[in-house]
Amino acid sequence: CDSTVRLTLQVLEPGINELETTICEGNSYDLNGEIFTEAGHYTRKLTAANGCDSIIYLTLNTLPDQHKNIDKTICRGDTLAFGSLLLTEPGDYHQLFLSSFGCDSTVTLKLQVIEPAIAEWEKAICEGEVFELNGTSYTEKGQYQQILTSTNGCDSIIRINLDVHPIDETQLEVNICEGEVYEFGESQLTASGVYQTSYINANGCDSLVYLKLQVVQNIEQSLEAEICAGEVYEFGEEELTESGVYQTSHINILGCDSTVTLTLNVLEEVETYLNAELCEGEVYEFGESQLTTSGTYQTSYINNNGCDSIVTLQLEVIPSVELFGADVSICEGEEVDLEVYGSENVQWFPATGLSCSNCPNPVASPSETTIYLVQTEGCGGTVVETEIMVEVLEKPTLQTNEGRTITPGEEVELEAEGTWGMGAVNWEGPEGLICQDCPRITVLPQGNSIYEASVMNDEGCLASDTVHIQVRLDCIEGDFFIPNAFSPNGDGTNESFHITAYTDAQLEYLRIYDRWGELMFETNDFNQVWDGRFRGKLLNPGVYVYYMRVKCPDEESYERFGNVTLIR
């Protein structure tokens, strides 16, 4: 006979353990007998107590040995404790400590020992003065010493060698000539007499000076002379070149100056300044020279006074002007920067399609191929010109179908029409390039999208157009097909009642009631159908009421209700 066996099968999921640990550099970590020394992520599969796989994810971190450098300074005679060391001499010292993580930490100490600063001072004062240092006064010649604390906290020794200079006196007898001035202290003396002053001597102390001054008479003589500009007049030990009144002197028999006064008149050269312009390639005659290059030139001749007359010429050679530029090509509706070289002062003809007609670099946007004449003024008023052609290339034509609004999941056919020769139509969408060389494509928009078609003709001109597709996210009556009757009679036609959704909506519930209000069928799945049965039994023919509620793509709810007739 039949024997029924019921098996309860339990599937155990693999155990997963995540471990993270940190070791010091040079140490190791033991995982179930496997030794790890390098930082990283490791995965190992073990067998758990229940016989199933146990997966361990190990994250191993390593801490490197720490190194720290310290600079310290002490005064000579002090002691610094560093670990187990007591340091008194300069040098580099090393100690090993444990860091807060338990790893080795090497500390390097650079110790500097500051020696006492010693300053040797040589100081001097005058007799009767006082030398003060840090509140101590010194008046006698001798050697002294003070010990202070410097800004670094160490000893600073000052040794002073103090000298005391005496006050001295001087007697002078001086002769000067009449008109001379004798400076005596702060006085300027011009008359005979006896004077007294004081000054600071080489030691910086007062020195008393007594002066007996004698003033001796001078002898004077006058002269007049003329020279040409550029000549030299020798007057005593001087060589004179400019007009003026000059004096020289010599020692007379009385030991004083004998003054000679000279009135010198320098006859100026007659100077003429000329400016001239010369076109490149021409010759300018200047004196005995034939000039062809720009520059400053001079020539001279003898005038009525017997002196030179100088002519200075400033000659400018104007270079020839040459205009040149390059022809360009643009597509219809575009613009291009033109450039002409050779002159900044130019005029363009015609001005049509130019941003400016008197600049060397206008922006050109003509509607048809145009030859522009560019002119400028050359040397001597001549006209220099050149031609620049802007070729306007025909653009292709391209037009796409109009945008539309669709429901989610609906495909859209896009088409481009126009003239573009041998060019290829390319389509781009929200995700980039969709298709190359495709006049017609079919797309499935996932949301509001813009599609662009572009084409380039044989001449390199580009045309483009866009299509805007809007994806409707709300629900309308046409999004659902709900039959009003069905016949579950076994003939294979219209055997069940189900709702077809043409939008990406979620069925929250579909409920069917009989005419007394009793619930006959309920589902939240569009794929589940009602076969006209209730609790396994086929219901009698009649009219039933349905209630439907869905959540639309825009997250809003949509409800409908109506009648459906069950037919036999």
Side-chain angles (χ1 to χ4, degrees):
C1 299
D2 290 342
S3 177
T4 300
V5 179
R6 293 183 178 178
L7 170 66
T8 300
L9 179 64
Q10 183 180 4
V11 178
L12 301 176
E13 298 293 334
I16 297 177
N17 294 310
E18 294 185 0
L19 300 177
E20 182 174 359
T21 187
T22 301
I23 62 174
C24 297
E25 187 175 17
N27 292 346
S28 61
Y29 180 78
D30 187 341
L31 177 63
N32 198 34
E34 185 175 359
I35 303 303
F36 299 90
T37 61
E38 300 291 335
H41 299 279
Y42 304 93
T43 303
R44 295 295 183 267
K45 183 186 291 185
L46 306 176
T47 302
N50 56 16
C52 296
D53 289 342
S54 176
I55 299 175
I56 297 178
Y57 296 100
L58 171 64
T59 298
L60 182 61
N61 303 312
T62 60
L63 295 176
D65 291 345
Q66 296 183 357
H67 297 273
K68 184 177 182 182
N69 296 322
I70 301 175
D71 292 333
K72 291 290 185 180
T73 302
I74 62 174
C75 300
R76 171 63 69 188
D78 292 345
T79 301
L80 176 66
F82 180 52
S84 60
L85 303 177
L86 296 177
L87 307 178
T88 60
E89 294 298 328
D92 294 337
Y93 301 91
H94 308 279
Q95 288 284 287
L96 189 64
F97 300 93
L98 287 180
S99 68
S100 57
F101 299 102
C103 299
D104 289 341
S105 176
T106 302
V107 180
T108 299
L109 171 66
K110 184 177 184 64
L111 181 63
Q112 181 180 2
V113 178
I114 299 177
E115 301 293 339
I118 300 177
E120 300 283 348
W121 287 4
E122 294 289 337
K123 297 294 181 178
I125 60 175
C126 297
E127 185 177 358
E129 292 182 347
V130 176
F131 175 74
E132 291 190 0
L133 178 62
N134 297 319
T136 303
S137 300
Y138 304 94
T139 59
E140 299 293 334
K141 181 178 181 179
Q143 294 181 342
Y144 305 95
Q145 177 174 297
Q146 288 190 12
I147 299 177
L148 307 174
T149 300
S150 64
T151 56
N152 57 24
C154 299
D155 288 344
S156 175
I157 301 174
I158 301 177
R159 295 174 181 169
I160 309 106
N161 186 15
L162 183 62
D163 191 13
V164 179
H165 298 302
I167 298 174
D168 55 5
E169 294 183 359
T170 303
Q171 302 286 338
L172 297 177
E173 290 189 6
V174 177
N175 293 331
I176 64 171
C177 296
E178 184 180 12
E180 292 181 347
V181 176
Y182 186 83
E183 294 185 358
F184 186 58
E186 297 181 356
S187 301
Q188 293 183 333
L189 306 179
T190 58
S192 299
V194 177
Y195 304 92
Q196 176 181 330
T197 188
S198 63
Y199 62 91
I200 304 301
N201 61 17
N203 295 325
C205 299
D206 289 341
S207 177
L208 299 179
V209 179
Y210 299 96
L211 170 66
K212 182 178 181 181
L213 181 64
Q214 179 68 37
V215 178
V216 181
Q217 296 280 330
N218 287 333
I219 300 175
E220 296 184 358
Q221 182 182 2
S222 297
L223 297 176
E224 291 185 3
E226 288 183 351
I227 60 172
C228 293
E231 295 181 348
V232 176
Y233 187 88
E234 294 185 357
F235 183 56
E237 296 181 356
E238 293 185 277
E239 293 183 344
L240 306 179
T241 59
E242 296 182 359
S243 298
V245 177
Y246 301 91
Q247 284 187 338
T248 187
S249 61
H250 56 84
I251 304 301
N252 59 23
I253 58 175
L254 300 176
C256 289
D257 288 340
S258 177
T259 302
V260 179
T261 300
L262 169 66
T263 300
L264 180 63
N265 184 22
V266 177
L267 301 176
E268 295 295 333
E269 296 174 343
V270 178
E271 294 186 7
T272 304
Y273 294 92
L274 300 176
N275 292 313
E277 291 183 350
L278 183 69
C279 292
E280 188 176 14
E282 296 179 352
V283 177
Y284 188 90
E285 293 186 358
F286 183 59
E288 298 179 356
S289 301
Q290 292 184 329
L291 308 179
T292 58
T293 59
S294 298
T296 302
Y297 302 91
Q298 281 189 339
T299 187
S300 62
Y301 60 91
I302 304 301
N303 61 16
N304 296 332
N305 296 325
C307 297
D308 288 340
S309 177
I310 298 175
V311 179
T312 301
L313 169 66
Q314 184 69 42
L315 179 64
E316 181 182 2
V317 177
I318 301 176
S320 60
V321 177
E322 181 180 0
L323 294 178
F324 57 94
D327 296 338
V328 295
S329 298
I330 62 173
C331 297
E332 288 178 325
E334 295 181 352
E335 62 182 30
V336 65
D337 292 332
L338 300 182
E339 188 76 29
V340 65
Y341 302 94
S343 176
E344 293 292 326
N345 301 315
V346 296
Q347 191 71 35
W348 295 73
F349 303 97
T352 305
L354 298 179
S355 62
C356 59
S357 61
N358 58 355
C359 58
N361 52 351
V363 178
S365 55
S367 59
E368 59 183 0
T369 299
T370 303
I371 297 177
Y372 291 100
L373 179 66
V374 190
Q375 293 182 343
T376 188
E377 183 178 350
C379 183
T382 59
V383 176
V384 179
E385 62 186 20
T386 188
E387 290 183 347
I388 296 179
M389 182 178 73
V390 179
E391 182 182 10
V392 180
L393 305 175
E394 183 179 3
K395 289 184 62 173
T397 63
L398 178 69
Q399 183 176 5
T400 61
N401 48 331
E402 295 182 357
R404 53 178 290 192
T405 301
I406 63 173
T407 60
E410 182 179 351
E411 291 185 339
V412 180
E413 184 177 65
L414 305 178
E415 182 178 5
E417 297 180 346
T419 59
W420 50 77
M422 299 297 293
V425 178
N426 298 326
W427 286 91
E428 292 189 5
E431 303 300 327
L433 181 64
I434 300 175
C435 186
Q436 292 180 314
D437 196 9
C438 306
R440 182 182 296 105
I441 63 172
T442 301
V443 295
L444 180 62
Q446 300 301 313
N448 294 342
S449 304
I450 298 176
Y451 297 91
E452 181 179 17
S454 61
V455 65
M456 182 177 292
N457 62 10
D458 301 339
E459 296 177 326
C461 294
L462 182 69
S464 63
D465 196 9
T466 58
V467 181
H468 294 256
I469 303 298
Q470 183 173 3
V471 178
R472 180 174 52 77
L473 299 180
D474 59 345
C475 295
I476 61 176
E477 184 175 350
D479 291 338
F480 307 94
F481 172 71
I482 305 176
N484 57 10
F486 71 108
S487 56
N489 53 14
D491 61 358
T493 302
N494 203 19
E495 291 288 336
S496 62
F497 172 79
H498 67 278
I499 298 175
T500 303
Y502 301 112
T503 184
D504 188 16
Q506 296 180 0
L507 180 61
E508 295 186 354
Y509 62 79
L510 171 62
R511 296 170 183 163
I512 301 176
Y513 299 87
D514 62 12
R515 58 183 176 177
W516 293 282
E518 185 177 358
L519 180 64
M520 299 288 100
F521 176 78
E522 182 178 14
T523 184
N524 61 358
D525 185 359
F526 278 122
N527 296 320
Q528 189 173 357
V529 301
W530 182 45
D531 59 1
R533 298 176 183 271
F534 178 65
R535 295 179 181 175
K537 295 182 179 181
L538 188 61
L539 297 175
N540 295 324
V543 177
Y544 295 84
V545 179
Y546 69 85
Y547 289 89
M548 179 187 73
R549 180 174 178 175
V550 300
K551 179 180 287 187
C552 302
D554 61 359
E555 299 298 324
E556 296 292 334
S557 294
Y558 174 78
E559 295 182 353
R560 281 185 62 179
F561 66 91
N563 298 327
V564 58
T565 303
L566 190 153
I567 304 173
R568 292 297 179 95

